[in-house]
């Protein structure tokens, strides 16, 4: 392992024993690799801010390991996610801030599984064979492919990362965790100036101050209420161009500026405490006035008028909102 765990991860789960591991193995039907078991016993529910390259997906992320508890959020006992109910030889063990999974792949070796990244946005999509078009299939065949509940029917959503868990840890680029880095984005005035220049409108000063301090802040704060809405606070996006959650990269990855009409996303949340939802808190400008809205994940692929019609309005009192948000971020 090429990192100092004390400086790169925090332990968020309850202490577990080997019997907890064996109980899960019996339930799932696969034996977890020894290197992963040793890591998990020492760092249950580990949280981190880290990046790695997966096949076809450079700059993939991991924010936490799943917990060996049958109750609560981020449980390793996943029996359904994104309409997938049969995970076959893939055993989920970690997740990223966007709701994607990191998993063990036992399809080629039931004793020494590889590590893969599962992109949930590619589940439910159809990737046709070379030379084929939708016209080559009946409507029933297309419906069957799109509605499959088997993960193995979506091989294009599964991206190879490493041949073992230890090799995965060696390849991951961890950000150091410290009191300072948890409470400040360490963003320079020059970086903020460059960020503001990317937008054709003057950004609110309270928003600039917030992003300068909390850029890329990882929270994973669950079952909170914000402006009377039930939300899990996941992570603040970044104004640093080198980060995978750089605001403009997020906009581009979600369909480009046409999908963000007068919207500036700044934080991932789980709306209504749904851990499989990854919606966005956004600034929204209408008729020259700024407000805070929730941009629901289910509308990211819709037309502009549907996006605007389905924004969830929170408030136009930006000072009050960001003060409330900061209070929540600073809570233990």
């Amino acid at each position: 392992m090429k990192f100092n765990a004390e400086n790169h991860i925090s332990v968020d789960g309850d202490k577990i024993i080997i019997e907890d591991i064996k109980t899960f193995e019996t339930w799932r039907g696969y034996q977890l690799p020894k290197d992963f078991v040793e890591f998990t016993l020492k760092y249950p529910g580990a949280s981190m801010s880290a990046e790695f390259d997966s096949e076809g997906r450079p700059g993939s992320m991991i924010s936490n390991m799943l917990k060996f508890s049958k109750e609560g959020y981020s449980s390793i006992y996943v029996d359904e996610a994104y309409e997938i109910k049969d995970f076959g030889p893939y055993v989920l063990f970690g997740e990223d801030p966007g709701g994607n999974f990191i998993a063990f792949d036992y399809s080629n070796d039931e004793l020494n599984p590889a590590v893969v990244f599962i992109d949930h946005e590619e589940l439910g999509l159809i990737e046709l064979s070379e030379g084929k078009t939708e016209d080559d299939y009946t409507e029933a065949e297309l419906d069957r492919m799109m509605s499959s509940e088997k993960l193995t029917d979506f091989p294009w959503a599964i991206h190879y990362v490493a041949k073992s868990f230890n090799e995965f840890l060696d390849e991951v680029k961890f950000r150091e965790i410290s009191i300072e880095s948890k409470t400040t984005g360490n963003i320079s005035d020059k970086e903020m100036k460059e960020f503001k220049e990317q937008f054709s409108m003057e950004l609110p000063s309270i928003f600039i101050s917030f992003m300068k301090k909390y850029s890329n802040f990882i929270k994973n704060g669950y079952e909170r209420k914000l402006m009377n809405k039930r939300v899990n606070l996941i992570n603040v996006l970044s104004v640093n161009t080198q980060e995978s959650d750089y605001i403009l990269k997020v906009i581009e990855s979600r369909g480009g500026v046409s999908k963000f009409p007068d919207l500036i996303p700044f934080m991932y949340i789980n709306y209504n405490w749904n851990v499989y939802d990854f919606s966005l808190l956004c600034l929204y400008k209408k008729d020259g006035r700024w407000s805070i809205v929730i941009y629901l994940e289910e509308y990211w692929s819709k037309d502009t008028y549907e996006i605007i019609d389905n924004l969830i309005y929170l408030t136009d009192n930006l000072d009050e909102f960001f003060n409330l948000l900061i209070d929540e971020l600073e809570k233990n």
Side-chain angles (χ1 to χ4, degrees), residues 124-162:
L125 300 178
I126 298 176
E127 187 168 296
L128 301 176
S129 302
E130 187 174 350
K132 294 279 189 179
T133 70
E134 291 188 8
D135 293 335
D136 296 317
Y137 300 89
T138 66
E139 187 174 337
E141 288 173 327
L142 290 171
D143 286 343
R144 188 166 57 252
M145 284 190 284
M146 290 185 66
S147 61
S148 175
E149 297 179 343
K150 294 183 176 181
L151 181 55
T152 52
D153 285 340
F154 302 99
W156 47 84
I158 302 166
H159 304 270
Y160 176 83
V161 179

